[in-house]
Amino acid sequence: MGKLTPELERERVRILKASEDYGLDCFDTIFELINYDQINQIAAYGGFPVRYPHWKFGMEYDHLSKSYEYGLSKIYEMVINNDPCYAYLMEGNMMMDQKLVMAHVYGHCDFFKNNIWFSKTNRKMMDQMANHAVRIRRYIDRYGYDPVENFIDVCMSLENLIDRYSPYVETSIVEKKEDKSPGNPLGLLKVDKGYMREYINPPDFVKAQKDKMMEKLSQKQRFPSSPERDIMKFLIQHAPLEDWQQDVMSIIRDEAYYYAPQGMTKTMNEGWASYWHSTIMTQKILNDSEIIDFADHHAGVMAMAPGGYNPYKVGIELMRDIEDRWNRGRFGREWEQCDDVRERKNWDQKLNRGREKIFEVRRVHNDVTFLDEFLNEDFCVRNKMFVYKFDKKQNRFVIDTRDFKAIKAKLLFMMTNFGQPIIRIEDANFENRGELLLSHMHEGIDMQPDFMTETMKNIFKVWQRPVNLVTAMEGEGHFYRFDGNEFIQKKLEAAPKAESSDGSRK
Amino acid sequence: MSIREDQSRFKDIVKGKVKENFRRFVSHGEMIGKRENEFVKIPLPQIDIPNFRYGPKQQGGVGQGQGEAGQEAGEPGDGKGKAGESPGEHILEVELSLEELADLLGEQLELPKILPKGAKNINSEKTKFNGLAPVGPEGLRNFKQSYKKALKRYITTGTYDPAEPVIIPIRPDFRYKSFKKVVQPQTRAVVIYMMDVSGSMGDEQKEIVRLESFWINTWLKRHYKGLETRFIIHDAAAKEVDEDTFFRTSESGGTLISSAYKLAQQMIEADYPPNDWNIYPFHFSDGDNWSGEDTRLCVKLLKEFFLPQVNVFSYGQVESKYGSGQFLKDLQKEFPGDDRLTLSQVESKDKILDSIKDFLGKGK
């Protein structure tokens, strides 16, 4: 790894200065100049120079280096959310590309530092990842390569079973205080004079309190007390694991949480960085001879394939749209209610609040809220967006509709939970036999059956008791059970809901 | 670098060397090769760790572009960032060099490296500068090493002064490049392809021979520099042809296999002394010989001439509607378990790879 060349360093200082002038606020950013093989290696390691040994990184590396060597793809830019930020430039790229990448990187850095969804991430992840690697290597030395690798495989199979929003929720440990003296389990009001009893605590109230208590008691028997989405955490805490297994699993979970915000803000983050590289480059940095190459490469990044969703493109267009709307005052009630086409077309209140607005947007939104709030019909039409689906008859993907509502619904669905099914633990003592009951919050799309069964087997390996799952397949509720030897599949009468499990709990 | 370890671990899993139970998660591309300078698909195997995920087809998505409802949307996949989700999307069309193709073939079929015979006989000498000596001609003085020696001497004797870093080398500091004579074994090989072009060999049969001989050539070229190939076609009589004709000719008439063997024998005797050459005769036919007598003659030629002289004699029998397939059976009967002769039956195009493995799997 090398320091920047004096020429690059000069440009870096210029670009940093320009980005600061625009109001970007970054962590210190350290650029390293590395060759293609090193960049492939680091990219395979998810952006870090050191990770624990696992074949999955080898696979990534194999794919990246093959596709680089055959000229199919090339990594231009990589940046790590860390304080200081680390970013990598590839040796031998043309000067214009290096400048573009640096400008893009400063966009990301600003986003990492200021977006609320990144606020809970570990800013010393560089060190943390290295520590993880050391810990896992130590377990390998002690317990052998195969057992540790096999267990990592199991953990990776479960790594999407986390609750991406949990870091932002304050969990209140303090319960509401009630009068719970031993002689008064029902929490009745205090009665000084016997004849007043029926008035102060009327029978209806006593009965209601009794019911409440019974319900609470039954709730307490439930374990977990409310459905748990952070399945990894639950297993770490409650599954019969060895110490080292617990540690390995918490390492994988840690890393999954570290990467989660990047998944939650992909569109915004790339849109923001692209907005800034294009702004900084075209307004401050490019010289005349570079403009054509810049346009070419910028267009390459923004290109959209018909069947593909390009977060760079959608992100930058939305950012520009927001800036434009707030510059011209195209928001708020008056704008929404205006039906006059001509008036709408010429609407300009000269507010010039666009910049300010996008800085605010980059601070508080994630992809779901971003698209929900700012994706509008004009935008979809202008950008020729559509929903596609798989047509069984033609055996190919076809355009389904260009209806705005459908597009928005589909996009939001794709973004929610990172486009993955939501699975919860309903009961860890199912049928009072210590079995695990999972439920899939079915939202119209079935899970892939073979992967589902394999994942259940992996959960069994951790929980070491039978694993049950309620989901839907082809419109019908299904109940699956894996007891360590065989799979049982049953059709359910009613469509699966979270409550359906209560029927079997008595 | 530890990523290399991860990579070789991954490759081992893909090959099924370790973690047998993981094979079901491995998705393979196919291996279809064409001729030089054309595109081939190279496999990018992928292992999917199972997790709870949506089925791929139901999902659909959002795209951008022209088109009416109902029109094709193109394959999904995001242009940037992470690799796609579903297995099988990773097959890329790339151009490969023949050497890489050969390696892929070898890897896929687990072919052993060929041990050339006659390697001892033909050697060539080369000089290689690969060492340092304290004496030598001034023209070969290695400045860098000499300077290092001198610097070392200064430092160890304590006379080095960083403020005035003047280094004056003296005689014992000098180092000279030295060379060695490296003996490189030279290996030469010739492949003699013989093909039955009698009426019973149809186009499909010839296509099989063409494909198979391409792969065999590719593999042998990987092991021998300057591989020579000769082509013989035969029906009732044999003649030598060029490569192009070899694959195009369609004759009719009877079949005398011995005619081809005799011609090959003459070729070897004239041009390829077996002590200096690795010789690989390949014969393809539908197994229909004219007479039992001719078959006996062939067997005699094999026994007395070919098998003692060549690396391995290969006979591939291509299944055809008209052929009786008798020749293969005769050979099997005559040479049970003789590893100088490999026999392979190619029923269809799909079996070409198996057949190549039959031929080259012995590492001879």
Side-chain angles (χ1 to χ4, degrees):
Chain A
M1 295 205 192
K3 293 259 168 291
L4 295 187
T5 61
E7 192 186 10
L8 280 171
E9 177 60 24
R10 246 190 335 269
E11 293 297 334
R12 185 191 72 81
V13 173
R14 276 181 71 208
I15 294 166
L16 177 61
K17 174 81 176 42
S19 68
E20 282 169 350
D21 290 349
Y22 283 116
L24 292 184
D25 165 30
C26 308
F27 292 126
D28 278 346
T29 305
I30 298 168
F31 285 92
E32 309 253 17
L33 195 59
I34 61 182
N35 66 30
Y36 78 94
D37 191 55
Q38 290 168 319
I39 212 166
N40 285 338
Q41 181 185 342
I42 290 174
Y45 276 150
F48 290 87
V50 185
R51 294 293 289 274
Y52 53 86
H54 194 262
W55 57 263
K56 202 179 109 177
F57 305 128
M59 175 173 81
E60 276 301 318
Y61 175 74
D62 194 57
H63 290 182
L64 287 170
S65 40
K66 267 187 187 158
S67 73
Y68 176 81
E69 279 155 21
Y70 293 119
L72 294 163
S73 75
K74 178 158 141 181
I75 299 168
Y76 276 99
E77 154 255 335
M78 209 166 26
V79 52
I80 306 178
N81 166 29
N82 194 71
D83 182 10
C85 262
Y86 284 86
Y88 303 96
L89 297 178
M90 190 161 88
E91 273 172 23
N93 275 347
M94 55 199 279
M95 196 61 192
M96 189 286 299
D97 280 334
Q98 308 286 35
K99 292 198 266 188
L100 188 156
V101 168
M102 285 194 276
H104 191 86
V105 161
Y106 281 119
H108 279 309
C109 286
D110 170 79
F111 197 87
F112 290 149
K113 186 172 175 186
N114 293 292
N115 182 270
I116 188 84
W117 300 97
F118 280 92
S119 61
K120 307 282 183 188
T121 54
N122 185 346
R123 304 294 192 178
K124 293 288 172 205
M125 203 57 188
M126 200 78 150
D127 307 341
Q128 187 66 30
M129 285 282 189
N131 289 342
H132 288 170
V134 170
R135 263 148 74 190
I136 288 186
R137 276 177 202 283
R138 202 180 296 149
Y139 295 134
I140 287 174
D141 288 345
R142 190 175 305 168
Y143 301 102
Y145 195 94
D146 289 331
V148 175
E149 188 194 60
N150 289 340
F151 190 72
I152 294 176
D153 291 340
V154 170
C155 293
M156 283 186 168
S157 163
L158 313 180
E159 80 184 339
N160 61 342
L161 300 177
I162 58 175
D163 183 355
R164 289 180 176 73
Y165 294 98
S166 68
Y168 315 100
V169 180
E170 286 292 327
T171 43
S172 63
I173 303 160
V174 191
E175 284 198 1
K176 225 170 88 189
K177 257 201 170 162
E178 276 178 57
D179 181 11
K180 279 204 188 125
S181 52
N184 183 14
L186 294 182
L188 299 180
L189 301 175
K190 204 175 157 205
V191 184
D192 286 334
K193 298 188 169 67
Y195 62 88
M196 288 298 285
R197 180 166 292 135
E198 283 195 18
Y199 298 96
I200 294 177
N201 288 319
D204 285 356
F205 174 72
V206 176
K207 190 170 178 300
Q209 286 295 92
K210 253 185 197 157
D211 287 350
K212 220 168 157 185
M213 189 183 76
M214 292 311 286
E215 198 185 325
K216 210 171 240 167
L217 276 176
S218 75
Q219 285 240 328
K220 266 196 189 132
Q221 282 162 7
R222 287 179 69 152
F223 177 65
S225 56
S226 59
E228 177 64 62
R229 272 184 64 183
D230 194 341
I231 295 177
M232 284 198 98
K233 180 173 104 189
F234 186 85
L235 291 175
I236 289 167
Q237 286 172 345
H238 302 291
L241 294 171
E242 312 252 346
D243 285 355
W244 69 268
Q245 291 177 318
Q246 244 177 13
D247 193 35
V248 168
M249 202 173 202
S250 56
I251 285 173
I252 308 281
R253 178 172 169 271
D254 250 25
E255 297 185 0
Y257 270 110
Y258 168 78
Y259 283 114
Q262 305 190 11
M264 286 159 71
T265 58
K266 179 86 179 157
T267 302
M268 277 184 80
N269 201 344
E270 293 302 352
W272 180 252
S274 300
Y275 174 90
W276 283 109
H277 84 227
S278 112
T279 307
I280 292 172
M281 290 294 277
T282 51
Q283 295 183 0
K284 301 256 168 115
I285 300 296
L286 282 176
N287 60 42
D288 302 353
S289 68
E290 292 171 329
I291 196 80
I292 301 286
D293 283 326
F294 171 78
D296 185 28
H297 292 195
H298 178 77
V301 175
M302 297 302 141
M304 49 199 190
Y309 172 82
N310 184 345
Y312 292 75
K313 175 71 178 169
V314 176
I316 192 175
E317 292 296 343
L318 262 179
M319 285 290 176
R320 284 176 175 162
D321 186 54
I322 294 166
E323 186 182 24
D324 180 61
R325 282 171 59 201
W326 261 259
N327 273 342
R328 299 204 267 172
R330 296 179 167 210
F331 59 92
R333 195 163 161 190
E334 281 171 41
W335 163 257
E336 298 295 340
Q337 288 179 348
C338 174
D339 287 336
D340 187 337
V341 176
R342 188 189 299 166
E343 202 180 322
R344 274 179 86 92
K345 207 178 164 193
N346 296 322
W347 190 289
D348 190 353
Q349 297 180 325
K350 300 211 164 44
L351 288 181
N352 271 336
R353 279 172 50 195
R355 253 317 140 65
E356 184 193 334
K357 182 67 186 174
I358 59 174
F359 270 94
E360 175 200 314
V361 166
R362 79 96 159 72
R363 181 180 286 280
V364 298
H365 283 280
N366 64 36
D367 280 352
V368 174
T369 58
F370 179 60
L371 290 170
D372 190 26
E373 187 149 346
F374 299 108
L375 188 80
N376 56 46
E377 191 156 7
D378 290 348
F379 182 85
C380 287
V381 173
R382 223 177 321 126
N383 283 284
K384 303 194 176 101
M385 298 175 86
F386 58 75
V387 176
Y388 63 83
K389 64 172 182 191
F390 187 75
D391 187 334
K392 277 185 191 154
K393 274 186 216 140
Q394 300 183 54
N395 198 33
R396 59 181 192 177
F397 287 90
V398 297
I399 296 174
D400 185 17
T401 172
R402 286 183 181 277
D403 177 50
F404 167 63
K405 275 186 193 148
I407 294 169
K408 188 158 177 174
K410 190 89 212 174
L411 268 181
L412 290 178
F413 179 75
M414 276 164 58
M415 304 291 162
T416 304
N417 202 37
F418 205 6
Q420 284 169 341
I422 298 176
I423 314 278
R424 306 192 304 188
I425 295 181
E426 296 289 336
D427 193 351
N429 189 23
F430 183 53
E431 305 275 21
N432 201 20
R433 287 193 302 229
E435 300 183 5
L436 209 55
L437 176 69
L438 307 173
S439 75
H440 168 212
M441 324 279 285
H442 196 276
E443 300 187 56
I445 299 181
D446 298 349
M447 282 196 277
Q448 196 173 323
D450 50 339
F451 276 73
M452 188 187 79
T453 51
E454 291 300 331
T455 311
M456 284 175 72
K457 283 182 194 168
N458 281 334
I459 297 177
F460 178 86
K461 280 182 198 158
V462 176
W463 187 246
Q464 293 173 22
R465 291 285 302 151
V467 176
N468 305 278
L469 172 73
V470 179
T471 179
M473 289 282 171
E474 291 174 346
E476 284 171 329
H478 279 264
F479 173 84
Y480 293 87
R481 174 184 165 83
F482 179 68
D483 65 3
N485 293 313
E486 53 174 356
F487 259 95
I488 298 167
Q489 180 183 353
K490 273 192 295 195
K491 239 182 233 176
L492 289 178
E493 296 298 316
K497 289 210 181 86
E499 289 77 39
S500 64
S501 58
D502 291 346
S504 48
R505 187 204 329 270
K506 281 283 138 59
Chain B
M1 253 202 299
S2 59
I3 194 96
R4 305 251 179 258
E5 290 160 28
D6 292 340
Q7 191 186 18
S8 70
R9 180 82 181 166
F10 163 66
K11 284 185 172 166
D12 285 348
I13 297 172
V14 169
K15 282 183 208 153
K17 279 193 197 155
V18 289
K19 290 166 85 101
E20 293 262 335
N21 58 338
F22 252 61
R23 279 203 105 155
R24 61 209 149 110
F25 303 129
V26 176
S27 48
H28 278 293
E30 52 207 313
M31 201 183 86
I32 300 168
K34 288 184 196 164
R35 304 215 53 157
E36 260 175 294
N37 299 330
E38 284 181 45
F39 287 108
V40 293
K41 284 184 176 175
I42 68 147
L44 274 187
Q46 154 122 355
I47 305 173
D48 278 296
I49 297 177
N51 50 20
F52 289 126
R53 67 171 69 167
Y54 293 129
K57 293 285 154 90
Q58 282 182 48
Q59 209 171 341
V62 174
Q64 282 174 280
Q66 312 279 0
E68 297 290 313
Q71 283 185 354
E72 180 152 22
E75 279 297 302
D78 49 0
K80 293 281 144 198
K82 278 288 180 192
E85 302 278 271
S86 60
E89 274 180 16
H90 288 263
I91 307 160
L92 304 163
E93 300 248 12
V94 294
E95 212 166 333
L96 278 179
S97 74
L98 279 181
E99 283 188 358
E100 286 165 318
L101 257 186
D103 286 344
L104 278 175
L105 176 77
E107 214 169 271
Q108 199 81 3
L109 297 182
E110 295 167 357
L111 295 179
K113 292 267 179 286
I114 291 176
L115 292 175
K117 89 179 167 98
K120 285 176 200 136
N121 300 333
I122 320 144
N123 295 322
S124 66
E125 281 192 346
K126 250 183 152 181
T127 46
K128 229 182 164 182
F129 288 96
N130 58 357
L132 288 172
V135 288
E138 287 303 307
L140 290 181
R141 194 167 71 200
N142 185 326
F143 175 79
K144 196 171 168 186
Q145 295 302 329
S146 306
Y147 174 79
K148 266 189 176 170
K149 275 280 166 203
L151 182 63
K152 239 185 214 169
R153 181 171 51 78
Y154 269 73
I155 291 171
T156 47
T157 56
T159 46
Y160 180 70
D161 175 12
E164 202 186 334
V166 179
I167 305 286
I168 301 162
I170 54 171
R171 188 60 261 240
D173 296 331
F174 288 139
R175 286 294 176 275
Y176 301 87
K177 286 182 201 163
S178 72
F179 56 86
K180 247 190 200 163
K181 284 226 158 78
V182 188
V183 180
Q184 280 186 326
Q186 191 91 42
T187 50
R188 286 190 288 180
V190 59
V191 188
I192 301 171
Y193 289 105
M194 289 168 272
M195 179 163 60
D196 179 358
V197 288
S198 62
S200 53
M201 289 282 281
D203 283 342
E204 200 188 321
Q205 280 76 29
K206 264 184 260 167
E207 173 73 5
I208 291 173
V209 175
R210 193 181 75 80
L211 283 171
E212 193 150 343
S213 59
F214 166 71
W215 285 109
I216 290 167
N217 258 349
T218 307
W219 179 247
L220 290 174
K221 267 187 191 153
R222 186 85 182 100
H223 291 86
Y224 296 109
K225 268 180 198 157
L227 182 79
E228 284 191 25
T229 43
R230 302 286 288 265
F231 298 91
I232 296 172
I233 55 174
H234 73 92
D235 44 18
K239 61 179 168 189
E240 189 182 358
V241 292
D242 61 27
E243 187 175 355
D244 205 42
T245 326
F246 182 74
F247 293 116
R248 283 171 204 278
T249 316
S250 188
E251 308 270 325
S252 53
T255 315
L256 281 176
I257 294 177
S258 65
S259 65
Y261 287 11
K262 278 181 197 155
L263 185 58
Q265 184 186 8
Q266 287 163 18
M267 236 180 228
I268 292 170
E269 281 170 347
D271 298 333
Y272 310 105
N275 278 339
D276 297 351
W277 286 81
N278 294 283
I279 303 170
Y280 293 90
F282 281 86
H283 178 220
F284 296 96
S285 140
D286 58 2
D288 214 4
N289 206 1
W290 180 256
S291 66
E293 199 182 324
D294 191 65
T295 303
R296 275 193 293 283
L297 182 57
C298 294
V299 168
K300 186 164 167 269
L301 278 171
L302 281 173
K303 248 185 204 155
E304 290 173 4
F305 180 76
F306 286 105
L307 295 187
Q309 315 263 20
V310 302
N311 286 41
V312 64
F313 189 100
S314 307
Y315 172 67
Q317 185 155 296
V318 191
E319 199 123 300
S320 96
K321 268 183 272 182
Y322 313 105
S324 64
Q326 186 57 39
F327 195 64
L328 183 79
K329 289 177 204 150
D330 292 339
L331 291 182
Q332 273 164 349
K333 211 168 68 195
E334 284 293 331
F335 304 96
D338 191 331
D339 71 347
R340 294 169 301 176
L341 178 71
T342 50
L343 303 171
S344 175
Q345 199 160 4
V346 202
E347 286 115 8
S348 63
K349 271 193 192 174
D350 302 335
K351 294 287 162 62
I352 288 177
L353 282 180
D354 294 337
S355 160
I356 291 171
K357 198 171 164 135
D358 285 346
F359 283 145
L360 303 172
K362 291 180 184 168
K364 292 189 86 170

